[in-house]
Coordinates of all heavy atoms in Angstrom, one line a residue:
K323 N -0.8 55.2 19.1 CA -0.1 56.2 19.9 C -0.9 57.5 19.9 O -1.9 57.5 19.2 CB 1.3 56.5 19.2 CG 2.2 55.4 19.3 CD 3.5 55.8 18.6 CE 4.4 54.6 18.3 NZ 5.4 54.9 17.3
R324 N -0.5 58.5 20.6 CA -1.2 59.7 20.7 C -1.5 60.3 19.3 O -2.5 60.9 19.1 CB -0.5 60.7 21.6 CG -0.7 60.5 23.1 CD 0.0 61.5 23.9 NE 1.3 61.1 24.3 CZ 2.2 61.9 24.9 NH1 1.9 63.2 25.1 NH2 3.3 61.5 25.3
R325 N -0.6 60.2 18.4 CA -0.7 60.9 17.1 C -0.7 59.9 16.0 O -0.5 60.2 14.8 CB 0.5 61.8 16.9 CG 0.6 62.9 17.9 CD 1.8 63.7 17.8 NE 1.9 64.6 18.9 CZ 3.0 65.4 19.1 NH1 4.0 65.3 18.3 NH2 3.1 66.2 20.2
T326 N -0.9 58.6 16.3 CA -0.9 57.6 15.2 C -2.1 56.6 15.3 O -2.4 56.1 16.4 CB 0.4 56.7 15.3 OG1 1.5 57.6 15.4 CG2 0.5 55.9 14.1
M327 N -2.8 56.4 14.2 CA -3.9 55.4 14.1 C -3.5 54.3 13.2 O -2.8 54.5 12.2 CB -5.1 56.1 13.5 CG -5.9 56.9 14.5 SD -7.4 57.6 13.7 CE -8.3 58.1 15.1
Q328 N -3.9 53.1 13.5 CA -3.7 52.0 12.6 C -5.0 51.5 12.0 O -6.0 51.3 12.8 CB -3.1 50.9 13.4 CG -2.8 49.6 12.6 CD -2.2 48.5 13.4 OE1 -1.1 48.7 13.9 NE2 -2.9 47.4 13.6
V329 N -5.1 51.4 10.7 CA -6.3 50.9 10.0 C -6.1 49.5 9.6 O -5.1 49.1 8.9 CB -6.6 51.8 8.8 CG1 -7.9 51.3 8.1 CG2 -6.7 53.2 9.1
H330 N -7.0 48.6 10.0 CA -6.9 47.2 9.7 C -8.2 46.8 8.9 O -9.3 46.9 9.4 CB -6.8 46.4 11.0 CG -6.7 44.9 10.8 ND1 -7.1 44.0 11.7 CD2 -6.2 44.2 9.7 CE1 -6.9 42.8 11.2 NE2 -6.4 42.9 10.0
N331 N -8.0 46.3 7.7 CA -9.1 45.8 6.9 C -9.1 44.3 7.1 O -8.2 43.6 6.7 CB -8.8 46.1 5.4 CG -10.0 45.7 4.5 OD1 -10.8 44.9 4.9 ND2 -10.2 46.4 3.4
V332 N -10.2 43.8 7.8 CA -10.2 42.4 8.1 C -10.4 41.4 7.0 O -10.2 40.2 7.1 CB -11.3 42.1 9.2 CG1 -10.9 42.8 10.5 CG2 -12.6 42.5 8.8
I333 N -10.9 42.0 5.8 CA -11.1 41.1 4.7 C -9.8 40.7 4.0 O -9.5 39.5 3.8 CB -12.0 41.8 3.6 CG1 -13.4 41.9 4.2 CG2 -12.0 41.0 2.3 CD1 -14.4 42.6 3.3
D334 N -8.9 41.7 3.7 CA -7.7 41.3 3.0 C -6.4 41.5 3.9 O -5.3 41.4 3.5 CB -7.5 42.1 1.7 CG -7.6 43.6 2.0 OD1 -7.5 44.0 3.2 OD2 -7.6 44.4 1.0
D335 N -6.7 41.8 5.2 CA -5.6 41.9 6.2 C -4.6 43.1 5.9 O -3.5 43.1 6.4 CB -4.8 40.6 6.4 CG -5.0 40.0 7.7 OD1 -5.8 40.6 8.5 OD2 -4.5 38.9 8.0
A336 N -5.1 44.0 5.1 CA -4.3 45.2 4.8 C -4.2 46.1 6.0 O -5.2 46.3 6.7 CB -4.9 46.0 3.6
V337 N -3.0 46.7 6.2 CA -2.8 47.6 7.4 C -2.3 48.9 6.9 O -1.3 48.9 6.1 CB -1.9 47.0 8.4 CG1 -1.6 48.0 9.5 CG2 -2.5 45.7 9.0
D338 N -2.9 50.0 7.3 CA -2.4 51.4 7.0 C -2.1 52.1 8.3 O -2.9 52.0 9.3 CB -3.5 52.2 6.2 CG -3.6 51.6 4.8 OD1 -2.8 52.0 4.0 OD2 -4.6 50.9 4.5
L339 N -1.1 53.0 8.3 CA -0.8 53.8 9.4 C -1.2 55.3 9.1 O -0.8 55.8 8.0 CB 0.6 53.8 9.8 CG 1.1 52.5 10.6 CD1 2.5 52.6 11.0 CD2 0.2 52.3 11.9
L340 N -1.9 55.9 9.9 CA -2.3 57.3 9.7 C -1.6 58.2 10.8 O -1.7 58.0 12.0 CB -3.8 57.6 9.9 CG -4.7 56.6 9.1 CD1 -6.2 56.9 9.5 CD2 -4.5 56.6 7.6
E341 N -0.8 59.2 10.3 CA 0.0 60.0 11.2 C -0.7 61.4 11.3 O -1.1 61.9 10.3 CB 1.4 60.2 10.7 CG 2.2 58.9 10.5 CD 2.8 58.4 11.9 OE1 2.7 59.2 12.8 OE2 3.2 57.2 11.9
F342 N -0.7 61.9 12.5 CA -1.3 63.3 12.7 C -0.2 64.2 13.3 O 0.7 63.8 14.0 CB -2.4 63.1 13.7 CG -3.6 62.3 13.2 CD1 -3.6 60.9 13.4 CD2 -4.6 62.9 12.5 CE1 -4.6 60.1 12.9 CE2 -5.7 62.1 12.0 CZ -5.7 60.7 12.2
R343 N -0.4 65.5 13.1 CA 0.5 66.5 13.6 C 0.4 66.7 15.1 O 1.4 66.8 15.8 CB 0.3 67.9 12.9 CG 1.4 68.8 13.0 CD 1.1 70.2 12.4 NE 0.1 70.9 13.2 CZ -0.5 72.0 12.8 NH1 -0.2 72.5 11.6 NH2 -1.4 72.6 13.6
D344 N -0.8 66.7 15.6 CA -1.1 66.8 17.1 C -1.8 65.6 17.6 O -2.1 64.7 16.8 CB -2.0 68.1 17.3 CG -1.4 69.3 16.7 OD1 -0.4 69.8 17.1 OD2 -2.1 69.8 15.7
R345 N -2.0 65.5 18.9 CA -2.6 64.3 19.4 C -4.1 64.3 19.0 O -4.8 65.3 19.0 CB -2.4 64.2 20.9 CG -3.1 65.2 21.7 CD -3.2 64.9 23.2 NE -3.5 66.1 23.9 CZ -2.6 66.9 24.4 NH1 -1.3 66.7 24.2 NH2 -3.0 68.0 25.1
V346 N -4.6 63.1 18.8 CA -6.0 62.9 18.4 C -6.9 63.0 19.6 O -6.6 62.3 20.6 CB -6.2 61.5 17.7 CG1 -7.7 61.3 17.4 CG2 -5.4 61.4 16.4
I347 N -7.9 63.8 19.5 CA -8.8 64.0 20.7 C -10.1 63.2 20.5 O -10.5 62.5 21.4 CB -9.1 65.5 20.9 CG1 -7.8 66.2 21.3 CG2 -10.2 65.7 21.9 CD1 -7.9 67.7 21.3
K348 N -10.7 63.3 19.4 CA -12.0 62.6 19.1 C -12.0 62.0 17.7 O -11.4 62.6 16.8 CB -13.2 63.5 19.2 CG -13.7 63.8 20.6 CD -14.8 62.8 21.0 CE -15.2 63.0 22.4 NZ -14.7 62.1 23.4
A349 N -12.7 60.9 17.5 CA -12.8 60.4 16.2 C -14.1 59.6 16.0 O -14.7 59.3 17.0 CB -11.6 59.4 15.9
S350 N -14.5 59.5 14.7 CA -15.8 58.8 14.4 C -15.6 58.1 13.1 O -15.1 58.7 12.1 CB -16.9 59.8 14.4 OG -18.1 59.1 14.0
L351 N -16.1 56.8 13.0 CA -16.0 56.1 11.7 C -17.3 55.6 11.3 O -18.0 54.8 12.1 CB -15.0 54.9 11.9 CG -14.9 53.9 10.8 CD1 -14.3 54.5 9.6 CD2 -14.0 52.7 11.2
N352 N -17.9 56.1 10.2 CA -19.2 55.7 9.7 C -19.4 56.1 8.3 O -18.7 57.0 7.8 CB -20.3 56.3 10.6 CG -21.4 55.4 10.9 OD1 -21.7 54.5 10.0 ND2 -22.2 55.6 11.9
Y353 N -20.3 55.5 7.6 CA -20.7 56.0 6.3 C -19.5 56.2 5.3 O -19.5 57.2 4.6 CB -21.6 57.3 6.3 CG -22.9 57.1 7.0 CD1 -23.1 57.6 8.3 CD2 -23.9 56.4 6.5 CE1 -24.3 57.4 9.0 CE2 -25.1 56.2 7.1 CZ -25.3 56.7 8.4 OH -26.5 56.5 9.0

Side-chain angles (χ1 to χ4, degrees):
K323 293 181 190 161
R324 281 182 263 174
R325 299 174 189 171
T326 311
M327 280 181 165
Q328 179 181 298
V329 181
H330 180 207
N331 186 336
V332 295
I333 291 178
D334 56 10
D335 250 356
V337 174
D338 288 280
L339 284 182
L340 312 177
E341 300 282 347
F342 297 87
R343 197 183 71 186
D344 307 292
R345 67 168 165 268
V346 177
I347 293 171
K348 277 269 179 259
S350 172
L351 173 66
N352 216 335
Y353 296 106

